[in-house]
Amino acid sequence: MKQVSFDLNGTKRQAEEGTRILDYLLQQDIEHPHVCYSSELGPIQTCDTCMCEIDGKIMRACSTQIQEGMKILTSSELAKNAQREAMDRILENHMLYCTVCDNNNGNCRVHNTVELLEIEHQTRPFREKGYEVDTSHPFYRYDPNQCILCGRCTEVCQDWQVNETLTIDWEREMPRVIWDDNKSINESSCVSCGQCVSVCPCNALMEKSMLGEAGFMSGMESDLLNPMIDLIKKVEPGYSSIFAISEMEAAMRETKIKKTKTVCTFCGVGCSFEVWTKDRKILKVEPSPEAPVNGISTCVKGKFGWDFVNSDQRLTKPLIRRGDAFVEATWDEALDVVVSRLGAVKDTYGPNSLGFISSSKFTNEENYLMQKTARQLFGTNNVDNCSRYCQSPASWGLQYTGGIGGDSGTIQDIAKAGLVILMGCAPAEAHPVLATRIKRAKKLNGQKLITVDLRKHEMAERADLFIRPKQGTDYVWLAAVSKYMIDQSWHDAAFIEEHVNFYPEFVELIQKYTLEFAEEETGISKETLIQIAEMIRDADGTAICWGMGVTQNAGGSYTSTAIANLLLITGNFMRPGAGAYPLRGHNNVQGAADMGTMPNIFPGYQPVTNDEIRAKFEAAYGVKIQAQPGLNNIQMLEEVDRGELRAMYVAGEDMAWVDADSNHTQDMLAKLDFLVVQDVFLSKTAQFADVVLPAVPSLEKDGTFTNTERRVQRLYQVLEPVGDSKPDWWIFSQLAKKMGYDWNYSHPSEIFDEMASLTPFFSQCNYEVLEGWNSFNWGSPDGSNTPLLHTKGFNFPDKKARLALFDYIPPAKFPEEYDLTLDNGRLLEQFHEGNLTNKSKGIQYKLPEVFVEVSPELAKERGLSDGTLVRLLSPYGKIKLRVLVTSRMSGKDIYVPMHSASHESAVNLLTGGAVDVQTHTPAYKQVKVRMEILEETGKSPLPAYNPRYAKRNPQLGVQVERKWAREDYKPIADVNVAVDVRGGRK
Amino acid sequence: MASPITKIVQPTLSESEKQNQTVEAILQLLAKNPEGIQETIKLLQELHDSGILGALTAAVEAKEELAKIVVGQMVRPPVTNIINNAMAAAGGLAELEPEMTQKLMKGVSKGLQKADEGLRSGQKVGIMDLMKALSDPDINRAIGFGINLLKGVGEGLKES
C-alpha cells in the first residue's frame, strides 16, 4: 500500500493511502468527536460532529480520505466551532437527563461526545418533536423525542440486517425514524433482530428489559422523575457538573451490572455477545464489533430469547421415578440409582446393551466426557448425537471427498463469494445472521444468489434465480449441471489435474445425467439448468450452502457428494470466497461430532477401528475399548425394539419429539429397562425416564462451542446454577467418581486440554488461545488455526480430493392416497421443537403456534382459508392444526414448522420410514400426507402483527443527501458529498 | 415399561422444617463472617441507642414521599435561585486568586480593628479631617483600591 505524508496539528505523519481521517485518529488512539460513525457502519455523515479544518476548509473526518500533503487541524477554532455547532443541533433533539437514563452505562456516544467537546450550555433549547413514544413492540421501544436522527438504526436495518424496515422520513417537518410506511413497530416488517437498538448511540431505541432497571434512579415513577428533570433544567448548571454526577452513577452501575461474554445456542452460526445481568435478571444482550462471526449482528432469538433461563419450569432437583410420580432426590441418591441400574444392565446383558445419546447443545467438554463415559465407564461405543438427525450426510459427503467434514471457510468467505447457492436451507429463518451477510453482499456488492427449495422463503424472494426441483431430486440437477459444464469445457481442468482424483471415472458416471433426463426427473427446465451452469462459470467463486432439505433424504449423503463434486470440477475449493458450507443447525452440532460422540470415531474423527489410535485412547483411559464401531441413534432404537438394547442415557436431547416417527420413538423409550435423562426441563423424553438429572443452560457454565465454520469459541458463566442443577460436565464427573474413576477436573479448561492432547486437529488450541473474543478454527492435521480449509492440499495422504462415484437414489415412494408433499423445518422466531423459545412471552406473542402453510392453488381446490382446521395423516401418524394460505408454497407442497412439543401438532408424528443410505439420517423431508378438513373456518394461526404480512421498504442506507436538501439545513461543512457507505470494516 | 409422567412429588416440608432450613443457611453465613458481623451488631446498637436508626428507618420507609417533597421544594423559584446564586458565587470565587483574597482579608481585618477603635473613641469627623485623611498614605491606598475595584466591577457588568 502506498503511504502518504500529511500534517496533523502541526506534526508530520504518514498513513496508508485511502485511510479516512477519523479511522486514522482512532487507530492512533487520538480522541476525536464523532456520533454517527462506527467502524461497521462507516461514515453516515449525519451528525457533523467530527469536523476538521483541512487546508482551510471545514470537512468531515469520517468521510475524508487523507491525501498527500494534507494539512489537518482537528481542534483549531474553526474546527471546534463547527463541532460545537453540530452538537448544539443534536442537543436540540435530545434531552440530557443522563443520571436518570437507562442508557447511562459509560458507553453512551452522545453523552461521551458532549463531554469530549466540553460543552457547557446549549444555544438551541431542547424541544420535543411532537410524536408519541412507540412502545407497541414486545422487545423494544422508540422515543422520537430523544432521537438525534443519526440514522445508525436505519443503516443497520437497511444494509447489515437487510430487513429493510427502517427509514428516516427526512421530508416531513419534523423528521423521525419510521417503520415501513409509517406503521407502528409491532405491525411493521420488523423481525426483531434488535440491531437498531444495539447501534443506537443514545436512549432513543432501548430494549424494554433495560427500562427502569439499568440505573439506580431510572426506575423512578414519572411523578418524581419529571420534577427532577425540571429541577436540573431550571438550575441549569454547566453540563460538566451534570456529567460529573451521571458518571458517578454510571460507575456505581458497573458494580451492579455484570457483563459476560457468551456464545449463542440458537443455531450453528456461532454469534457471540455480552449478556448484561443484574443479579439473575437479564438486562440485555449486547453484541460487540469484536465478535468474530457476527460483529454487531444478532437475531430475535439471540437478542431477546433468553427467558427460558429464568423459567420457573426449570428442573432444580434430581428426580427419581417412584410409581406414577417423580420424587425429588439428592445428587447422591440419584447417581447411586444410575450407577447401580446401568451397572446391573451391563452386568446382565453386556456393555452393548447400553446406549448413550449426547447433545449438540452442550459444550465440547461435555461431549468429550459423554463419549468418555460411554467408552471408559461402560465399555461401549454405543454413543451418538443429534447430528445424526440433520448433518451427518453432509459431513460424510465432505469427509469422503475432501477428508474433512466441515465448512470450507468462514462466514466472510460466503460473503465474498461471487455466487451463493442455497440448497434446502432457509437461512433467513434458521441461520439469520449468516443470511444477513448474503443479503448484504447481494445488495451492496452485486453477489449473485440461486435458491433451491420447495418453499419460497425470504432468501428465495431475494434470489436472482429460484428453482423448485421435485422433492428429493437435487442430486440429478447437480450431476446434470456438472456434466453440462464439462461438456462445454467450463470445468477447471488445471485444478482437476493438480488436486482431484477419479476424474475419468466421474465423467463416465455422469454421462447419463443429461439435461433432458434432469428436466424430466427434477422438473427444472433445460434452459434454467444451463443458466445455473453459466452463473457458476461467470462467478468469481461459488459457495454452496445446504441444509436439511438436502441431507434429510434417502440419498442425502450422495447429494452432498454431488455438491462437492460440482465444486471440485469447477475449482471452487482451496480458495477464499468459495466452497462447501453445510449449515449446522445447533450451536454445537459441529462440536458434538468433533468430540467423538459417534459410534465409529474418537474425538477429531479418529476411527475406533484403527488399532494404533484405539491403543492411544486405551492408554489414556486405562481400559480396553471395543474395536468395533457401536450403534448409531437409529440402530439403538431398532435394538431396543429387538430387546437387545436395555438402557439408555440421554443428555440434552428431546428424542421423543426430535426423532422421526415420534409415536415409535416414544414406544421405544417406554420399552427400556432403565432410562436416565439429563436436561434443563422435564422434556417429553424426560417424562419417560427413571432418573432425571437437572442440568444447566449455557449461561450457567463455562466451556466451548464449535460453530458451523469449525470455529471454537469460549462461553463464560453468566449466572449461578438454579437450585441444585449442575453443569453437565460436573454430572459426568460425579458419575465417574462414583464408579471409581476420579477424573478430578476443576474446570472445563482441563477437559479441553485432555481432549486436545489426544486429538491432532486441536493440538495447538487451549483456553488461552480462546481467551475473550478470540477463536480457533480447527482443520489442519498439525493442529493449527485453519479458517480456510485445504489450502495446503486435501486431507488425504496424496493431498488430492476424491470425486465421489455414487449414483442417484430416488426419493421414497408413498401409497397414492398420500398426495401432499410435507416440507418441514424451522421459522425464525422459534428454536427447534420450541422447548426453549416458547418460554419467551414476546416470541410466543409474535409466533404462538404451528400451522400448515398451503399454496393458494391447493386452498382453492380444497376450499381452505386462513384458520381452517385440518388433520394431516401419514402412514406413521396424524396431527391437527390450522391452515395458513401463502404464496410461499406452490401446488401440493405444504409446510409445517417444527416448533411444537404437543401430541396434537408435533410434525414428527408424521415423519418416518426411509433413512439415508450411508448415515441412517431419517428422511424427514421425504414424507407424503393426506389432508382432512375438520373445521372449515377459524382464526388465523399467524397473528396480524407477525412481520411476514408486512411489506419491506428497501433503500440504500439513510440517504443523508435528503437531509442536506432540506431548506432549513445550513451546511456546517464546506464539502457535502454522499459517500459509498460500504466502507464499513466487514 | 415406563409410561411418561409429569407429576413431581416434592418433599412436603412442615413450616418448622422450612424455617430450620432458612435458619441453617443464615447460621452458616454468620459462622463464615464473624468479625464483620460482630462489628456490625455493635454499630447497629450504637445507632439504635442514639435514635439515629429509628429516624433512618422512618426516612427510608417514606423515601418516595420524602424525595417528592425535597424535589418539590427544590424546584420552587426561591430555591432554584439559591442554588443558582450559590453556584454563580462559587463560580466567581473559583476565579479569584487566593493571594489577593488573603491580602484583602488582612486589610479588611485591620480596617475593622481601626474602625472599632475610632468608634470607641467617639471622635467626630469634620471636612478638614477628611481632607487630611486623604493624604494619609494608608487611607489613600485604600481609596485607590476602592476606585479601581469599582472600575473593574463596572467592566465586568458591561461584559455580561
Side-chain angles (χ1 to χ4, degrees):
Chain A
M1 257 301 186
K2 202 180 137 195
Q3 296 280 311
V4 288
S5 303
F6 63 103
D7 183 308
L8 180 73
N9 298 329
T11 55
K12 287 267 166 251
R13 291 181 180 248
Q14 289 217 322
E16 256 177 33
E17 189 175 31
T19 308
R20 297 192 205 102
I21 298 171
L22 185 56
D23 286 331
Y24 177 82
L25 295 172
L26 296 177
Q27 278 161 23
Q28 303 291 315
D29 283 329
I30 301 171
E31 278 196 323
H32 187 75
H34 61 281
V35 174
C36 67
Y37 174 87
S38 66
S39 55
E40 293 69 40
L41 300 173
I44 303 175
Q45 304 196 99
T46 49
C47 81
D48 290 354
T49 58
C50 69
M51 296 297 174
C52 292
E53 184 181 340
I54 300 169
D55 298 330
K57 279 188 185 158
I58 294 291
M59 290 167 81
R60 290 180 184 84
C62 67
S63 56
T64 309
Q65 292 183 359
I66 300 174
Q67 310 280 344
E68 182 65 41
M70 214 174 224
K71 236 180 120 186
I72 303 165
L73 296 170
T74 58
S75 43
S76 65
E77 204 180 329
L78 213 54
K80 275 270 164 248
N81 286 343
Q83 293 161 10
R84 292 208 175 106
E85 166 66 16
M87 189 42 95
D88 205 60
R89 296 182 187 183
I90 287 175
L91 293 182
E92 189 181 17
N93 282 309
H94 181 90
M95 198 200 281
L96 292 171
Y97 51 75
C98 308
T99 310
V100 293
C101 170
D102 284 303
N103 201 45
N104 182 39
N105 300 302
N107 62 350
C108 176
R109 272 238 69 79
V110 171
H111 173 288
N112 296 351
T113 310
V114 176
E115 197 176 28
L116 181 63
L117 284 170
E118 295 176 330
I119 288 179
E120 285 294 324
H121 295 279
Q122 58 192 96
T123 60
R124 297 171 177 81
F126 167 78
R127 47 102 187 95
E128 297 197 336
K129 300 189 185 67
Y131 302 114
E132 292 282 307
V133 178
D134 187 338
T135 59
S136 63
H137 192 276
F139 294 124
Y140 69 100
R141 69 104 180 90
Y142 173 60
D143 183 352
N145 292 322
Q146 287 295 92
C147 173
I148 61 164
L149 299 167
C150 70
R152 278 184 170 196
C153 55
T154 305
E155 287 284 333
V156 83
C157 186
Q158 288 289 342
D159 295 345
W160 269 107
Q161 163 66 26
V162 198
N163 199 58
E164 302 168 321
T165 302
L166 272 61
T167 55
I168 292 185
D169 188 354
W170 289 113
E171 282 74 27
R172 62 171 75 189
E173 184 173 348
M174 203 56 96
R176 59 162 286 174
V177 176
I178 59 168
W179 276 252
D180 290 346
D181 49 355
N182 204 22
K183 285 203 178 75
S184 75
I185 302 176
N186 194 35
E187 290 165 315
S188 75
S189 57
C190 168
V191 292
S192 319
C193 72
Q195 290 178 66
C196 55
V197 186
S198 298
V199 298
C200 179
C202 61
N203 66 336
L205 284 158
M206 290 288 294
E207 301 87 354
K208 283 188 169 176
S209 52
M210 284 282 280
L211 296 180
E213 289 288 344
F216 284 88
M217 292 186 279
S218 58
M220 245 173 247
E221 293 297 324
S222 60
D223 60 343
L224 179 55
L225 182 67
N226 293 339
M228 276 188 88
I229 294 172
D230 283 348
L231 170 67
I232 290 169
K233 269 198 301 184
K234 281 200 183 137
V235 166
E236 277 184 9
Y239 289 141
S240 59
S241 331
I242 295 190
F243 284 166
I245 299 170
S246 68
E247 261 160 47
M248 277 164 55
E249 203 261 356
M252 280 164 69
R253 290 188 192 189
E254 289 283 330
T255 65
K256 246 342 233 179
I257 298 176
K258 199 176 141 206
K259 301 167 186 175
T260 319
K261 182 219 162 186
T262 193
V263 182
C264 187
T265 53
F266 289 120
C267 78
V269 172
C271 296
S272 51
F273 36 66
E274 282 183 341
V275 186
W276 289 24
T277 49
K278 189 174 83 176
D279 303 323
R280 275 204 75 84
K281 189 175 167 66
I282 295 171
L283 292 180
K284 71 159 159 177
V285 159
E286 177 83 350
S288 160
E290 291 176 87
V293 187
N294 57 308
I296 53 170
S297 297
T298 48
C299 77
V300 51
K301 300 186 287 290
K303 178 81 181 171
F304 298 115
W306 298 93
D307 290 352
F308 75 92
V309 174
N310 282 322
S311 161
D312 57 6
Q313 294 171 46
R314 283 271 306 272
L315 291 170
T316 58
K317 293 259 184 204
L319 304 174
I320 298 173
R321 178 185 285 260
R322 298 240 191 283
D324 63 350
F326 288 116
V327 179
E328 288 188 352
T330 64
W331 277 103
D332 239 9
E333 291 163 352
L335 289 172
D336 279 340
V337 175
V338 173
V339 170
S340 72
R341 294 287 303 274
L342 287 180
V345 172
K346 184 188 163 192
D347 291 344
T348 315
Y349 301 100
N352 292 339
S353 62
L354 304 173
F356 294 80
I357 302 294
S358 194
S359 174
S360 57
K361 259 78 68 193
F362 64 39
T363 63
N364 286 320
E365 294 73 9
E366 290 160 342
N367 271 290
Y368 174 79
L369 291 188
M370 184 54 142
Q371 66 86 34
K372 189 173 174 181
T373 296
R375 293 186 166 121
Q376 185 193 45
L377 307 186
F378 294 98
T380 179
N381 284 320
N382 288 350
V383 57
D384 204 5
N385 70 75
C386 89
S387 66
R388 184 71 53 195
Y389 304 143
C390 53
Q391 287 281 2
S392 288
S395 300
W396 184 88
L398 291 177
Q399 209 156 8
Y400 187 91
T401 48
I404 289 181
D407 286 16
S408 305
T410 65
I411 191 168
Q412 282 85 11
D413 288 297
I414 297 175
K416 214 180 289 170
L419 168 67
V420 169
I421 304 179
L422 299 174
M423 293 180 59
C425 60
E429 307 268 20
H431 302 86
V433 170
L434 187 133
T436 66
R437 300 307 190 256
I438 300 171
K439 293 193 276 183
R440 176 175 162 88
K442 179 159 173 46
K443 182 172 182 177
L444 301 185
N445 304 329
Q447 182 179 68
K448 296 280 181 253
L449 176 63
I450 298 176
T451 299
V452 185
D453 212 298
L454 293 189
R455 183 163 155 266
K456 195 172 185 185
H457 50 74
E458 184 187 338
M459 298 308 279
E461 292 276 358
R462 291 178 179 275
D464 297 286
L465 178 63
F466 169 49
I467 61 168
R468 283 181 158 131
K470 286 181 202 156
Q471 204 288 324
T473 64
D474 289 316
Y475 178 100
V476 177
W477 73 258
L478 288 162
V481 168
S482 300
K483 173 175 155 46
Y484 180 78
M485 290 188 77
I486 290 170
D487 291 347
Q488 301 298 311
S489 294
W490 295 348
H491 59 299
D492 187 338
F495 182 89
I496 296 169
E497 175 63 31
E498 202 178 343
H499 300 296
V500 183
N501 284 322
F502 304 114
Y503 179 66
E505 294 86 342
F506 175 69
V507 172
E508 200 187 314
L509 172 84
I510 59 173
Q511 282 315 307
K512 57 181 173 269
Y513 296 101
T514 60
L515 295 179
E516 292 73 20
F517 174 73
E519 178 168 339
E520 195 182 311
E521 189 65 22
T522 66
I524 305 301
S525 74
K526 270 198 286 187
E527 295 69 34
T528 306
L529 293 171
I530 291 171
Q531 197 188 340
I532 295 172
E534 287 168 348
M535 285 172 81
I536 296 173
R537 176 198 63 188
D538 296 342
D540 179 11
T542 294
I544 303 184
C545 308
W546 70 103
M548 265 54 99
V550 169
T551 57
Q552 292 175 340
N553 280 288
S557 46
Y558 295 168
T559 308
S560 298
T561 60
I563 292 171
N565 287 346
L566 175 59
L567 291 167
L568 280 172
I569 61 149
T570 50
N572 277 305
F573 276 110
M574 306 176 82
R575 53 158 288 179
Y581 297 85
L583 302 181
R584 313 301 192 181
H586 294 203
N587 55 308
N588 210 25
V589 168
Q590 184 69 49
D594 296 346
M595 292 301 111
T597 54
M598 291 180 104
N600 57 336
I601 52 164
F602 291 115
Y605 304 92
Q606 305 177 78
V608 294
T609 49
N610 181 310
D611 293 341
E612 207 177 307
I613 287 166
R614 203 172 57 258
K616 176 172 73 174
F617 279 88
E618 285 176 339
Y621 293 173
V623 295
K624 280 299 273 181
I625 296 172
Q626 296 186 46
Q628 288 306 309
L631 302 171
N632 66 37
N633 198 326
I634 317 301
Q635 292 164 332
M636 284 185 212
L637 290 191
E638 285 168 11
E639 293 303 303
V640 174
D641 209 9
R642 284 156 35 100
E644 299 291 330
L645 198 116
R646 315 290 297 207
M648 285 182 84
Y649 191 137
V650 181
E653 203 57 65
D654 196 2
M655 285 180 77
W657 289 127
V658 176
D659 263 21
D661 194 354
S662 299
N663 287 324
H664 174 74
T665 308
Q666 295 181 18
D667 288 346
M668 293 306 103
L669 292 175
K671 225 174 154 177
L672 288 165
D673 291 353
F674 186 68
L675 173 64
V676 190
V677 173
Q678 194 163 301
D679 210 318
V680 174
F681 292 106
L682 191 68
S683 64
K684 188 75 209 176
T685 310
Q687 291 169 23
F688 287 91
D690 296 281
V691 176
V692 182
L693 303 175
V696 299
S698 61
L699 295 192
E700 294 175 7
K701 60 185 168 189
D702 283 358
T704 60
F705 291 143
T706 307
N707 77 345
T708 193
E709 306 166 290
R710 300 167 282 106
R711 187 190 300 275
V712 187
Q713 302 184 95
R714 276 180 73 174
L715 48 143
Y716 293 80
Q717 185 176 344
V718 178
L719 301 166
E720 286 299 314
V722 166
D724 268 353
S725 63
K726 295 287 182 189
D728 298 84
W729 66 268
W730 182 92
I731 302 174
F732 293 132
S733 301
Q734 294 304 306
L735 183 69
K737 207 169 175 180
K738 281 215 176 285
M739 295 183 65
Y741 293 90
D742 194 352
W743 291 342
N744 203 18
Y745 305 120
S746 62
H747 188 264
S749 60
E750 296 162 13
I751 307 171
F752 193 93
D753 289 342
E754 178 183 315
M755 180 282 295
S757 73
L758 293 164
T759 314
F761 279 132
F762 292 92
S763 59
Q764 296 188 37
C765 186
N766 58 50
Y767 267 42
E768 266 139 58
V769 170
L770 300 171
E771 188 74 38
W773 299 102
N774 296 333
S775 61
F776 171 90
N777 299 70
W778 70 264
S780 290
D782 67 357
S784 57
N785 185 28
T786 315
L788 185 62
L789 282 184
H790 307 315
T791 51
K792 294 177 191 152
F794 290 91
N795 193 31
F796 293 115
D798 65 354
K799 303 281 176 204
K800 283 182 147 191
R802 301 170 179 177
L803 285 163
L805 306 172
F806 301 103
D807 231 328
Y808 171 50
I809 295 179
K813 293 266 181 263
F814 278 70
E816 220 160 86
E817 61 178 302
Y818 300 105
D819 56 342
L820 305 175
T821 300
L822 174 71
D823 192 10
N824 52 73
R826 278 190 212 164
L827 292 179
L828 170 68
E829 295 88 335
Q830 299 273 4
F831 175 69
H832 215 208
E833 84 283 20
N835 274 353
L836 305 180
T837 43
N838 66 16
K839 309 292 187 296
S840 159
K841 265 190 198 154
I843 286 177
Q844 284 297 97
Y845 167 79
K846 282 284 189 186
L847 184 62
E849 57 182 306
V850 292
F851 42 78
V852 53
E853 224 173 323
V854 306
S855 69
E857 306 92 87
L858 188 69
K860 196 165 168 221
E861 183 195 311
R862 307 274 167 102
L864 307 168
S865 59
D866 287 355
T868 304
L869 186 67
V870 296
R871 175 170 287 143
L872 300 178
L873 306 96
S874 83
Y876 305 98
K878 58 190 180 195
I879 59 175
K880 68 175 180 185
L881 22 60
R882 294 198 184 272
V883 164
L884 186 72
V885 185
T886 80
S887 56
R888 287 185 282 273
M889 302 312 297
S890 154
K892 290 190 167 179
D893 297 342
I894 62 172
Y895 186 80
V896 175
M898 68 177 297
H899 59 94
S900 165
S902 148
H903 279 277
E904 294 217 321
S905 56
V907 72
N908 285 326
L909 290 164
L910 299 176
T911 57
V915 295
D916 174 58
V917 281
Q918 277 294 340
T919 63
H920 292 188
T921 294
Y924 291 87
K925 300 295 187 278
Q926 288 183 358
V927 179
K928 300 202 100 184
V929 297
R930 64 189 171 83
M931 179 188 281
E932 291 170 359
I933 297 179
L934 300 176
E935 285 168 23
E936 280 186 6
T937 55
K939 194 168 154 253
S940 171
L942 189 67
Y945 41 78
N946 184 284
R948 287 172 183 77
Y949 290 109
K951 195 174 156 287
R952 296 188 170 84
N953 292 268
Q955 68 178 34
L956 269 179
V958 71
Q959 301 189 340
V960 66
E961 55 284 13
R962 285 164 56 201
K963 170 183 174 171
W964 297 338
R966 283 176 67 90
E967 263 176 26
D968 58 3
Y969 179 75
K970 294 202 177 54
I972 296 177
D974 292 319
V975 180
N976 285 307
V977 182
V979 296
D980 193 338
V981 293
R982 281 171 251 180
R985 196 177 59 186
K986 288 177 193 168
Chain B
M1 199 73 188
S3 54
I5 49 173
T6 54
K7 198 163 121 193
I8 297 175
V9 182
Q10 277 156 342
T12 42
L13 295 179
S14 68
E15 272 310 306
S16 68
E17 276 172 323
K18 274 187 210 164
Q19 219 168 18
N20 283 344
Q21 274 187 356
T22 316
V23 170
E24 182 59 33
I26 292 172
L27 280 179
Q28 272 180 13
L29 204 68
L30 291 179
K32 270 188 211 157
N33 310 288
E35 291 93 359
I37 298 287
Q38 278 165 13
E39 210 165 318
T40 311
I41 289 174
K42 214 163 123 193
L43 174 67
L44 282 178
Q45 194 54 44
E46 290 290 337
L47 286 173
H48 174 76
D49 291 347
S50 59
I52 296 174
L53 194 58
L56 270 180
T57 312
V60 172
E61 272 175 21
K63 57 186 179 300
E64 293 275 316
E65 289 312 307
L66 284 187
K68 277 179 210 167
I69 294 165
V70 170
V71 174
Q73 286 298 311
M74 286 179 80
V75 84
R76 288 182 315 133
V79 182
T80 51
N81 282 347
I82 292 174
I83 297 175
N84 282 332
N85 283 337
M87 291 204 310
L93 284 175
E95 279 172 31
L96 287 183
E97 279 179 35
E99 290 84 18
M100 187 61 209
T101 314
Q102 202 183 6
K103 229 175 184 176
L104 184 64
M105 289 317 286
K106 233 176 177 169
V108 169
S109 142
K110 193 94 185 173
L112 285 173
Q113 200 186 329
K114 284 268 175 219
D116 189 47
E117 282 168 19
L119 212 62
R120 279 175 205 274
S121 72
Q123 209 182 358
K124 265 196 167 171
V125 180
I127 284 287
M128 284 312 282
D129 294 321
L130 212 57
M131 298 298 282
K132 246 200 295 187
L134 265 181
S135 56
D136 182 309
D138 291 333
I139 291 181
N140 191 280
R141 200 177 307 120
I143 289 183
F145 177 83
I147 291 172
N148 283 320
L149 177 71
L150 286 174
K151 188 169 164 52
V153 171
E155 277 172 13
L157 289 172
K158 192 167 64 193
E159 276 168 19
S160 55

